[in-house]
Amino acid sequence: MAIAHGDGVQDDEAGAYNVDDTTDEGFDESTDGAGDSRNSVGRSFWSKLHRVFLRHIDGIPLITKLVACILVLLAIGTFGISFAIRQLVGNYLLDKADIQLRDQAPLIYNSARWLDERQDDEGGSGIPNDYFMQYRDVHNQIVYTPLVPVLKGGVVSEPKLPANGTMKGVELGRPFTTPSRLVNVPAGADAATLERAQAPWRVLALARQDRDDGGNLVVSQVVYIGISLSDQIDVVRTLTQDAVYVSIAIILIGATLGTVLVRRTLEPLKRIEKTAAKIAAGDLSQRVPSAPQNTEVGSLAASLNVMLARIESSFREQQDTTNKMKRFVSDASHELRTPLAAIQGYAELYTMQRGLPGALERADDSIGHIKASSSRMSVLVEDLLSLARLDEGRGVDITQLVRLDRVFEDSADDLHALDPERDITKCALRTVPRSGSSPARLAFERGEFPEIEIRGDGSRLRQVFTNIVGNIHRYTTPDSPVEVALGEIVTTMGPESIQRLRPTVKSLQRILESSGPLEGTPGRHYAIAAIADHGPGVPLDQQPQIFERFYTADPSRARLKGGTGLGMSIVQSVVRAHHGFVCASTTPGGGLTLTIILPMGDRDGSTEQGVGQNRKANKASKAPWRQKGSKSMKTAKDSTASKERSTGAGEVGKGDDATRTR
């Protein structure tokens, strides 16, 4: 009937569904708009609620959120473990009660009559008993109850069993739990006893078999044996309370330790925040305090420090560039104003004296001064134009193969032509590695230049050495000696790194420390040239400044020497355009040494960009000044040609940039 009734219900539902199908089309147009409106309103509401919730979450400090997460995880973990322990222990005690009922059932059954008689003889007081026993016949009619536990104060509690004459789903041999029933509650019973009496029971129903007249075993009675679960419940309750107390203690301890640990862990972030505030206030020298690199905060601090160092360096470079540009504009205006003022003055003088006697001779003198001033201005403008092209990366072709040793020898010849009395010593240059506390250094060894070939712009490289030679001629006495040296080094630093170094002795020392023997040392090969003079020199703190534009060590004598203050700036620009390095240092005994380092390129065998050191003398290119004490006379034409090659060489104090690094 139930199935038939269910089918009927299904048929009715199906019929109703069919009716809905037949009438659905009539309601589509009238209900679509309202449904879409309700859906839109619902989505808008939940979207706003979601945004408001996220705003509140984002407004909570990170420390608070982390500590809250720790507390939630600890609470879930501890209470989950407590609940699991409670369930496991409860099930275990229930299984123990079942085993106890099965094991003790035969003993209780055999001793039931003796226990019952003992209770009757002693006036119903009986002996201590925790078991309940009841006999029923095969029709589940109660026969008698031999065992009933009596609690403190005479309180009697029995399990609720099926009514007389029924079993209500009780299975023989399978324990079941049933609530208690208070049979006798005397006045004055304490609460603990009543609570114990109200505990549920665990009951086991067994079949009692006897032999009939034919000797066959037949079921004669059903025996109910039960035991109160008050002890088990008390154990589980006590265990639960202890677990809750321990959980609360763990949560409190975890909250305290978590707060301390989170604050300690995030303290570097606070320092980063304070450092960022100081940097925002304009102090770019601030750095984030370091932390262990294996931590996230330590890695972040290291990355931020690298970034801050680059930002500070870029900012300082920008400031330096701005200051140099301002100074350059001021110096250029001053340098251009002088010849223009001279031209204007002599032109006015010529106009004023044009009608006086002897005007022709005075006119020639004025025209001569005007021509000299215009020539000086032309040289200055040409140097400025050359520097502008170099700054833009134009005007240099570094794809040519250049014999650097020959360019160097030509420059030495030019210096000898300018100062025939000067003692010029040619040397081979080599590096001496670090030895104990002695740093790496350069050593000058008298001898021929090694044959060195590089890729570069030959005319620009000649201009570099010609400018240096011109400065030595202008700012040192004609009889002061000069050493010119050329060599080759191998270093692990790349051209880009060398190009970015400041023109200081420390930078040169860094390059030398990273160099090694020519044979067997991995790295890049570089040509290194040094020109050392023994003139007045330049103070140590001013040596890096000689490469600045319009720098003059002695401004009062600069114009008398004919320099423009741009020669060494051109030298540095050309060297950097070749991805090289140049610096000035003090020559031992007095004077300056200019050291130039140029990359020789990759050695792939196709082009010999660095031929290495060849000690064999090149007699064909040997000049008379190479013999000590010999003096060869150069023609005026040679001297004039040398002077023409020294475009921009009139570097006022920069010429004393020849530094020695022995």
Side-chain angles (χ1 to χ4, degrees):
M1 292 300 292
I3 296 176
H5 177 69
D7 291 342
V9 173
Q10 290 177 2
D11 291 341
D12 293 341
E13 291 176 354
Y17 180 77
N18 291 335
V19 172
D20 291 341
D21 284 347
T22 58
T23 59
D24 187 43
E25 294 180 359
F27 291 95
D28 282 343
E29 295 181 359
S30 62
T31 59
D32 280 349
D36 292 343
S37 177
R38 287 193 297 270
N39 292 336
S40 177
V41 172
R43 286 195 298 270
S44 176
F45 171 75
W46 288 110
S47 178
K48 291 180 179 178
L49 184 62
H50 180 68
R51 288 197 297 270
V52 171
F53 176 75
L54 289 181
R55 279 201 300 269
H56 284 292
I57 292 296
D58 293 338
I60 300 175
L62 179 60
I63 294 178
T64 304
K65 286 190 283 190
L66 290 176
V67 173
C69 290
I70 293 174
L71 290 178
V72 170
L73 293 176
L74 286 176
I76 293 175
T78 53
F79 286 115
I81 292 174
S82 300
F83 178 77
I85 291 175
R86 181 181 185 278
Q87 291 298 112
L88 292 174
V89 172
N91 294 335
Y92 172 75
L93 294 177
L94 194 62
D95 292 340
K96 292 289 289 185
D98 293 342
I99 295 173
Q100 184 178 356
L101 286 175
R102 290 192 179 95
D103 293 344
Q104 300 295 329
L107 179 60
I108 295 172
Y109 175 77
N110 294 328
S111 304
R113 289 185 180 274
W114 180 82
L115 291 173
D116 186 48
E117 294 174 355
R118 182 70 177 270
Q119 290 177 356
D120 292 340
D121 294 341
E122 295 178 0
S125 59
I127 61 176
N129 175 44
D130 294 331
Y131 291 94
F132 170 85
M133 178 178 287
Q134 187 180 84
Y135 288 95
R136 295 192 181 192
D137 58 16
V138 294
H139 302 293
N140 289 303
Q141 297 293 329
I142 298 175
V143 177
Y144 71 103
T145 304
L147 294 178
V148 176
V150 179
L151 302 179
K152 179 181 178 182
V155 178
V156 179
S157 172
E158 296 180 354
K160 286 184 179 180
L161 298 178
N164 196 17
T166 63
M167 291 191 69
K168 288 187 178 180
V170 175
E171 298 181 12
L172 297 176
R174 184 173 183 179
F176 63 93
T177 303
T178 182
S180 63
R181 180 172 61 89
L182 296 178
V183 177
N184 181 31
V185 182
D190 57 15
T193 304
L194 292 177
E195 184 180 2
R196 181 179 178 86
Q198 293 174 355
W201 289 74
R202 193 67 172 173
V203 181
L204 177 63
L206 299 174
R208 179 180 180 181
Q209 296 178 344
D210 293 326
R211 294 186 181 274
D212 58 5
D213 297 338
N216 298 321
L217 292 175
V218 295
V219 177
S220 60
Q221 288 180 332
V222 177
V223 182
Y224 288 90
I225 303 175
I227 186 173
S228 177
L229 296 178
S230 59
D231 292 338
Q232 289 83 346
I233 292 175
D234 185 61
V235 170
V236 172
R237 181 185 296 114
T238 303
L239 180 64
T240 303
Q241 291 176 353
D242 294 341
V244 170
Y245 294 150
V246 172
S247 299
I248 293 175
I250 290 175
I251 292 174
L252 294 177
I253 295 174
T256 304
L257 294 179
T259 302
V260 173
L261 183 61
V262 169
R263 287 184 178 276
R264 176 68 178 174
T265 303
L266 296 183
E267 184 64 26
L269 293 181
K270 288 289 186 181
R271 294 197 295 266
I272 292 175
E273 179 184 357
K274 294 178 181 178
T275 302
K278 293 179 181 179
I279 292 174
D283 187 3
L284 296 179
S285 63
Q286 291 292 327
R287 293 294 181 269
V288 178
S290 60
Q293 292 286 341
N294 58 338
T295 62
E296 292 78 3
V297 176
S299 177
L300 174 63
S303 301
L304 286 177
N305 285 335
V306 172
M307 181 188 70
L308 291 175
R310 292 182 178 178
I311 291 176
E312 183 183 13
S313 176
S314 300
F315 184 77
R316 300 302 180 200
E317 289 179 359
Q318 183 180 6
Q319 281 188 328
D320 293 342
T321 302
T322 302
N323 294 333
K324 288 179 181 179
M325 182 59 65
K326 292 179 180 179
R327 187 166 59 252
F328 169 73
V329 172
S330 176
D331 293 341
S333 301
H334 176 74
E335 292 293 335
L336 290 173
R337 183 179 60 182
T338 301
L340 287 175
I343 292 173
Q344 183 179 4
Y346 282 109
E348 292 177 356
L349 180 63
Y350 171 74
T351 303
M352 293 171 57
Q353 297 179 350
R354 184 169 49 185
L356 299 177
L360 183 60
E361 291 78 4
R362 288 190 292 272
D364 292 339
D365 184 61
S366 297
I367 294 299
H369 284 291
I370 291 173
K371 182 178 180 181
S373 297
S374 63
S375 299
R376 171 177 169 76
M377 189 168 58
S378 298
V379 172
L380 181 62
V381 171
E382 288 294 332
D383 288 347
L384 290 174
L385 180 61
S386 177
L387 284 172
R389 289 174 177 174
L390 291 172
D391 290 341
E392 295 175 358
R394 299 185 295 113
V396 178
D397 179 15
I398 60 174
T399 61
Q400 307 171 13
L401 287 176
V402 181
R403 281 285 299 273
L404 194 62
D405 55 316
R406 293 179 180 176
V407 174
F408 211 31
E409 287 180 354
D410 291 343
S411 300
D413 290 341
D414 293 342
L415 180 58
H416 182 70
L418 293 172
D419 299 322
E421 301 297 327
R422 190 184 300 273
D423 183 14
I424 303 174
T425 305
K426 183 175 65 173
C427 303
L429 199 61
R430 67 178 182 87
T431 58
V432 179
R434 171 182 289 273
S435 176
S437 59
S438 300
R441 58 187 177 86
L442 291 173
F444 289 65
E445 295 181 350
R446 187 186 300 271
E448 298 294 331
F449 292 147
E451 294 182 4
I452 294 180
E453 191 174 46
I454 66 172
R455 285 198 176 273
D457 191 322
S459 61
R460 287 294 186 181
L461 292 175
R462 287 182 182 274
Q463 184 181 15
V464 167
F465 294 109
T466 301
N467 286 2
I468 297 173
V469 166
N471 281 350
I472 294 175
H473 167 66
R474 288 183 178 90
Y475 302 110
T476 62
T477 58
D479 57 349
S480 63
V482 172
E483 292 88 22
V484 290
L486 183 65
E488 179 181 351
I489 63 172
V490 180
T491 177
T492 57
M493 298 180 64
E496 293 78 10
S497 300
I498 288 181
Q499 183 186 22
R500 290 194 296 265
L501 294 176
R502 290 176 52 82
T504 61
V505 177
K506 291 183 178 180
S507 300
L508 177 62
Q509 191 63 39
R510 178 181 173 186
I511 297 174
L512 296 180
E513 293 292 344
S514 64
S515 64
L518 295 179
E519 299 297 335
T521 301
R524 296 294 299 268
H525 288 251
Y526 294 86
I528 181 169
I531 303 178
D533 66 52
H534 297 272
V538 174
L540 183 63
D541 58 336
Q542 297 184 18
Q543 288 175 0
Q545 302 176 16
I546 66 174
F547 300 101
E548 296 179 3
R549 299 173 185 183
F550 295 110
Y551 171 81
T552 55
D554 188 0
S556 61
R557 300 174 55 193
R559 195 167 289 107
L560 298 177
K561 296 289 185 177
T564 62
L566 298 175
M568 289 298 103
S569 298
I570 294 176
V571 168
Q572 186 184 51
S573 298
V574 172
V575 171
R576 286 186 174 178
H578 285 77
H579 305 286
F581 168 80
V582 60
C583 77
S585 59
T586 303
T587 304
L592 288 175
T593 300
L594 277 180
T595 304
I596 300 173
I597 299 176
L598 297 171
M600 299 176 64
D602 298 330
R603 297 191 171 193
D604 54 3
S606 59
T607 59
E608 296 181 358
Q609 297 181 8
V611 181
Q613 295 190 359
N614 185 357
R615 301 291 182 178
K616 185 177 180 180
N618 189 346
K619 297 181 180 180
S621 60
K622 197 171 185 181
W625 55 265
R626 292 173 196 149
Q627 303 294 333
K628 187 175 181 180
S630 71
K631 304 176 183 178
S632 70
M633 300 300 295
K634 290 286 182 178
T635 62
K637 181 178 179 180
D638 293 336
S639 177
T640 303
S642 174
K643 293 180 180 180
E644 290 178 352
R645 283 199 298 268
S646 61
T647 303
E651 181 71 303
V652 187
K654 299 179 179 179
D656 283 330
D657 299 288
T659 81
R660 190 178 185 86
T661 58
R662 293 196 190 184

